[in-house]
Amino acid sequence: YIYFFSSKENTEMFMKNPIKYIRQPKPKLPVPVKIAIVGPPKSGKTTVAKKFASVYGLLRLSMGDAIRLVLNNQPETELALSLKRHLHKGLTVPDELAIQVLDVALMNHVCNTTGVVIDGYPVTRKQVNLLESARIIPVKIFELEMDAKEVFRRALLDKESMNRPPYPEHDSSQILAIKNSCYKQHIDEIRTYYTREHQNWCVIDAFQSKWWIWNKVLQEVQVVVKEIQIYLERIREGKAAGIADLCITPEELQYRLGEFGQYCPVSLAEKGELVDCSATSSLQFAAEFRGHYYKMASQEQLDKFLSRPEVYVPPLAPHPLPPQEMLPKKLTAAEVKALFPRSAEMQGYCPVTYLDGKQRYEALVPGNIEYAAKYQDKVYIFESEEKLLKFMRLPEKYWNLKLPRKLPPVKEPILLTALPLAGYLEQAIATSLIKALNEVGSLKPKFPFLSIKETALLFVACHLK
């Protein structure tokens, strides 16, 4: 074999002990990284982006850079001519053209080999939609969070700096106020979208030093790159691999779900439990195996699936998922009411409490309509959400119970005014009377020329009044 070295010193070190250096593990696959950094003006986006470009060789790409790249390198193309028509009129470039420009700029060989840092984009919901349509999805988007007061403070420091360029900059307080206001207007919607769809949003406190911010961003990127490398290696070897940081859309997840849908195959195989993982959109405990996606209920179950996936999927899986019509379904209170005149099974008593209470008389507890489920075309209501979740996991265990002949008496509300006098006083003013008696016992008042008894009665009367 022929080996190449970066310096003469390295060559000499290799010559002295070659076995040491050729028996090390092979480097992992290089993964081009696509990240984006957004934030209010003066939050340090460009500083972080330039640091990535200088240290790791990533291409820093703002929208202005992308436009200049197309105008300088491809001046005769239809895209460049469209850009010039807008720019020569003094207009801003429309978002539709800007996305085309960004798409062309991302064809750069540096983006495809090392990666790219998109500086300050996207900043509106429309731009997000256009990026999605062009399939431009950063593996991580960093939001540098900072309030308006800090924006103006940093702008003032920049104006006093000696390193300002010779040309005037758009950094007056009025322009910064408009930029910051526009940013704040859209960022919540963008954050919500990326958090829900791709789970690739990361908020960073921009008040910290630039070194702290750099380290934080670097740590997050390293985690993502490592996850992608592990995924590629395991898939190439035919193993199961986690898909937590791959920016998989809900539509793609739905299209490639395996035989168990969003139910945990490990819980079904080991305990026979139907654990529905669709309540959360996170893919933290999801994995890919043989081209299909599977969601697990916890890290422990994900580890089991990754180590021996063949055991938990057909044909070796011990329990297949029941057909859709045989799966339990949660109902809201409105849905239960809409099923009227159909009544709940077991006369509205909670089946889980009854069976777990060894079918004793004391375990007959009425259910709450807020916690309801439909199974085998029957409606059940439960005492609490915990009991509802228990039923959803093991419906076969609880669904076909029979009530005993003797049932608790029906609890009907009694009007307060229908109570006898002593009962009315107990229910209506007992608490106030106890407070009054406690006060008179603590203060021990004595009015002049009145007895202790008359004083206490007057005090209690005034207290109650």
Side-chain angles (χ1 to χ4, degrees), residues 26 88 121 126 137 279 343:
K26 291 182 179 178
H88 289 166
Y121 200 86
K126 183 184 177 184
I137 305 171
S343 59

Side-chain angles (χ1 to χ4, degrees), residues 133-147:
S133 63
R135 301 296 296 164
I136 300 172
I137 305 171
V139 293
K140 208 76 175 174
I141 301 178
F142 296 98
E143 176 196 352
L144 301 182
E145 196 175 43
M146 193 171 73
D147 61 18

Side-chain angles (χ1 to χ4, degrees), residues 274-326:
L274 292 166
V275 181
D276 188 1
C277 304
S278 61
T280 172
S281 60
S282 171
L283 299 178
Q284 184 183 358
F285 306 131
E288 179 183 337
F289 182 58
R290 295 173 181 166
H292 293 292
Y293 294 150
Y294 300 91
K295 288 184 81 172
M296 266 55 71
S298 67
Q299 184 65 46
E300 180 188 352
Q301 288 159 331
L302 175 63
D303 293 339
K304 286 180 180 179
F305 185 86
L306 292 176
S307 61
R308 297 180 67 201
E310 306 85 3
V311 178
Y312 301 109
V313 300
L316 299 181
H319 306 297
L321 187 73
Q324 191 65 34
E325 62 275 7
M326 296 288 288

Side-chain angles (χ1 to χ4, degrees), residues 329-390:
K329 180 190 173 189
K330 286 184 184 178
L331 298 176
T332 62
E335 287 172 330
V336 174
K337 290 174 183 175
L339 292 171
F340 183 81
R342 183 189 296 184
S343 59
E345 293 297 310
M346 294 185 63
Q347 297 185 26
Y349 291 104
C350 176
V352 178
T353 307
Y354 182 54
L355 187 63
D356 290 353
K358 299 180 181 176
Q359 300 186 348
R360 291 176 301 185
Y361 177 83
E362 298 82 8
L364 287 168
V365 179
N368 186 338
I369 195 172
E370 296 292 331
Y371 311 113
K374 189 177 181 182
Y375 181 67
Q376 301 273 31
D377 209 32
K378 294 180 179 179
V379 177
Y380 298 88
I381 58 176
F382 305 90
E383 181 188 1
S384 63
E385 189 173 6
E386 179 192 350
K387 303 293 171 68
L388 168 61
L389 293 175
K390 213 166 185 180

Side-chain angles (χ1 to χ4, degrees), residues 88-206:
H88 289 166
K89 292 177 185 176
L91 303 172
T92 55
V93 176
D95 286 333
E96 290 79 5
L97 270 182
I99 293 298
Q100 292 181 42
V101 168
L102 187 62
D103 207 10
V104 170
L106 289 174
M107 293 178 188
N108 188 299
H109 70 282
V110 178
C111 301
N112 295 321
T113 53
T114 313
V116 62
V117 185
I118 301 173
D119 184 358
Y121 200 86
V123 289
T124 68
R125 186 69 175 83
K126 183 184 177 184
Q127 291 170 357
V128 171
N129 292 340
L130 291 167
L131 282 174
E132 292 287 306
S133 63
R135 301 296 296 164
I136 300 172
I137 305 171
V139 293
K140 208 76 175 174
I141 301 178
F142 296 98
E143 176 196 352
L144 301 182
E145 196 175 43
M146 193 171 73
D147 61 18
K149 186 178 177 182
E150 182 68 10
V151 170
F152 294 119
R153 190 188 74 81
R154 291 188 181 187
L156 196 62
L157 289 174
D158 285 350
K159 283 183 180 179
E160 294 170 357
S161 170
M162 303 298 292
N163 298 325
R164 287 175 65 81
Y167 51 83
E169 288 191 293
H170 296 288
D171 61 352
S172 68
S173 58
Q174 292 88 348
I175 291 174
L176 285 176
I178 293 169
K179 282 182 175 180
N180 190 55
S181 175
C182 290
Y183 172 79
K184 295 289 184 189
Q185 186 180 349
H186 297 286
I187 194 63
D188 289 337
E189 196 178 359
I190 298 172
R191 185 192 305 117
T192 304
Y193 176 84
Y194 277 112
T195 304
R196 185 185 71 245
E197 294 290 317
H198 304 299
Q199 299 94 47
N200 62 344
W201 194 272
C202 180
V203 180
I204 290 178
D205 183 9

